[in-house]
């Protein structure tokens, strides 16, 4: 395990430090995809229950983020991108972060079970445990396929949102799960190519660290093709309308085009990686566009 010298003096943490522990940028995407999964469902919850379900998803995402930072505080201290987080910056002790993460996670699952359903609560618990135990503890430091398998953790929110509304699992939410699962590798590896040296310094075996940039780029294309197929599947299977189908087809074509640019560009240094920067930025808008358009398509159908 990679170790780092942590600050001796721990400053008093305030609400901003606890908020930073929840990874708010990640939480926003989790909330949006969870909400889209709920809105795409054929059954609509009363506002109070719907709000409660989304709140539970947000709290669970925050808990997973806090526990991730608790476990990875040593490598966070070594990486420029994460060195200013509350734990490596000495603004909070690890025990506080652990208690905060566990408490937030338990509360979110209990609230989901009491207010919504046991199945939704069970999936919420699985999503937290998968991210913390399977990805953070079990995979991230051990295998370059960490983000592939671990990507399942980020794919749970729309499935949970759907189950919160309907109480059951069907084909469409599984396709929504698949879209995020297959989107995660090209999205994450585009960033990993840009900050490869940071990951190497932290001892994280991301694919660009342990394999060539060319290998990484071809694997990005492989998953992008599968993602595009999954994205148009709701329309192809009659689960969404032509408006969604057009958005998914055009958006996915652009994604594939940018990924092909990444493969063809063969840039050697981060400063030269314009294609990777474009793909990473576009991938964020792409996944939000796909889920918002799917939810709107289902709402007006």
């Amino acid at each position: 395990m990679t170790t780092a010298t942590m600050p001796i003096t721990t400053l008093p943490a305030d609400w901003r430090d606890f908020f930073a522990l929840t990874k708010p940028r990640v939480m926003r995407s989790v909330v949006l995809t969870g909400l889209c999964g709920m809105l795409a469902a054929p059954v609509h919850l009363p506002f109070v229950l719907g709000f409660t379900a989304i709140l539970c998803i947000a709290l669970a995402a925050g808990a997973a983020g806090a526990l991730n930072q608790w476990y990875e505080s040593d490598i966070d201290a070594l990486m420029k991108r994460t060195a200013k987080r509350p734990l490596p910056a000495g603004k909070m002790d690890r025990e506080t972060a652990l208690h905060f993460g566990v408490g937030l996670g338990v509360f979110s699952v209990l609230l989901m079970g009491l207010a919504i359903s046991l199945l939704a609560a069970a999936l919420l618990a699985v999503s937290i445990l998968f991210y913390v135990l399977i990805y953070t503890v079990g995979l991230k430091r051990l295998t370059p396929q960490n983000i592939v398998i671990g990507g399942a953790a980020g794919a749970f929110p729309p499935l949970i949102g759907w189950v919160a509304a309907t109480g059951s699992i069907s084909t469409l939410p599984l396709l929504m799960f698949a879209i995020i699962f297959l989107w995660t590798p090209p999205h994450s590896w585009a960033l990993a190519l840009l900050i490869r040296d940071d990951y190497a310094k932290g001892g994280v075996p991301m694919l660009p660290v342990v394999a060539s940039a060319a290998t990484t780029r071809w694997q990005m294309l492989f998953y992008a093709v599968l993602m595009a197929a999954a994205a148009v599947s709701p329309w192809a299977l009659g689960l969404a309308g032509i408006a969604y189908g057009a958005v998914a087809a055009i958006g996915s074509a652009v994604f594939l085009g940018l990924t092909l640019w990444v493969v063809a560009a063969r840039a050697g240094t981060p400063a030269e990686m314009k294609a990777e920067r474009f793909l990473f930025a576009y991938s964020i808008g792409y996944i939000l566009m796909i889920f918002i358009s799917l939810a709107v398509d289902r709402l007006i159908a």
Side-chain angles (χ1 to χ4, degrees):
M1 181 183 296
T2 304
T3 58
T5 301
M6 302 296 291
I8 297 175
T9 302
T10 302
L11 302 174
D14 63 18
W15 68 269
R16 288 178 290 265
D17 299 314
F18 286 99
F19 185 59
L21 274 184
T22 66
K23 295 188 175 182
R25 290 184 180 179
V26 175
M27 186 190 293
R28 286 198 295 268
S29 297
V30 166
V31 167
L32 181 60
T33 55
L35 178 61
C36 288
M38 181 182 296
L39 294 177
V43 179
H44 295 152
L45 290 172
F47 176 79
V48 173
L49 291 180
F51 177 83
T52 301
I54 295 302
L55 175 64
C56 290
I57 292 173
L59 294 177
L67 292 171
N68 171 269
Q69 291 187 57
W70 161 74
Y71 187 78
E72 294 187 347
S73 59
D74 57 341
I75 60 175
D76 280 351
L78 296 171
M79 297 170 62
K80 181 180 179 181
R81 185 174 64 94
T82 55
K84 293 183 180 180
R85 286 176 174 176
L87 292 176
K91 298 178 180 179
M92 182 186 299
D93 61 78
R94 296 184 74 248
E95 186 177 8
T96 299
L98 175 62
H99 292 168
F100 176 69
V102 171
L104 207 60
V106 170
F107 176 75
S108 67
V109 172
L110 288 178
L111 182 59
M112 182 73 90
L114 292 172
I116 308 300
S117 72
L118 292 179
L119 180 57
L123 287 173
L124 194 66
V126 169
S127 69
I128 298 171
L129 294 174
F130 195 99
Y131 184 76
V132 175
L133 298 181
I134 304 298
Y135 172 65
T136 302
V137 177
L139 295 173
K140 189 168 183 179
R141 305 185 193 218
L142 298 178
T143 171
Q145 294 301 308
N146 48 22
I147 203 66
V148 177
I149 304 168
F156 274 103
L159 181 60
I160 296 170
W162 178 286
V163 169
T166 66
S168 62
I169 299 174
S170 59
T171 303
L172 184 56
L174 291 176
L175 288 174
M176 297 170 80
F177 179 99
I179 292 169
I180 298 179
F181 179 76
L182 296 168
W183 163 87
T184 301
H187 164 75
S188 300
W189 286 334
L191 175 63
L193 284 166
L194 292 168
I195 59 171
R196 177 195 175 280
D197 291 344
D198 217 16
Y199 279 123
K201 186 177 179 181
V204 181
M206 294 295 286
L207 188 60
V209 175
V210 301
S212 67
T215 297
T216 303
R217 291 173 175 128
W218 280 108
Q219 290 207 28
M220 288 169 63
L221 181 60
F222 171 75
Y223 283 102
V225 170
L226 295 180
M227 178 209 69
V232 299
S233 291
W235 168 71
L237 295 175
L239 300 174
I242 186 63
Y244 167 78
V247 170
I250 296 171
S252 298
V254 173
F255 197 112
L256 287 173
L258 290 174
T259 309
L260 285 169
W261 182 22
V262 168
V263 173
R266 301 179 183 178
T269 65
E272 299 171 324
M273 293 180 181
K274 294 181 180 180
E276 286 81 355
R277 293 183 190 279
F278 271 98
L279 177 59
F280 178 72
Y282 177 77
S283 68
I284 297 171
Y286 168 85
I287 200 68
L288 300 180
M289 174 182 65
I290 289 293
F291 276 85
I292 291 173
S293 61
L294 180 56
V296 170
D297 182 272
R298 295 275 298 184
L299 283 171
I300 64 177

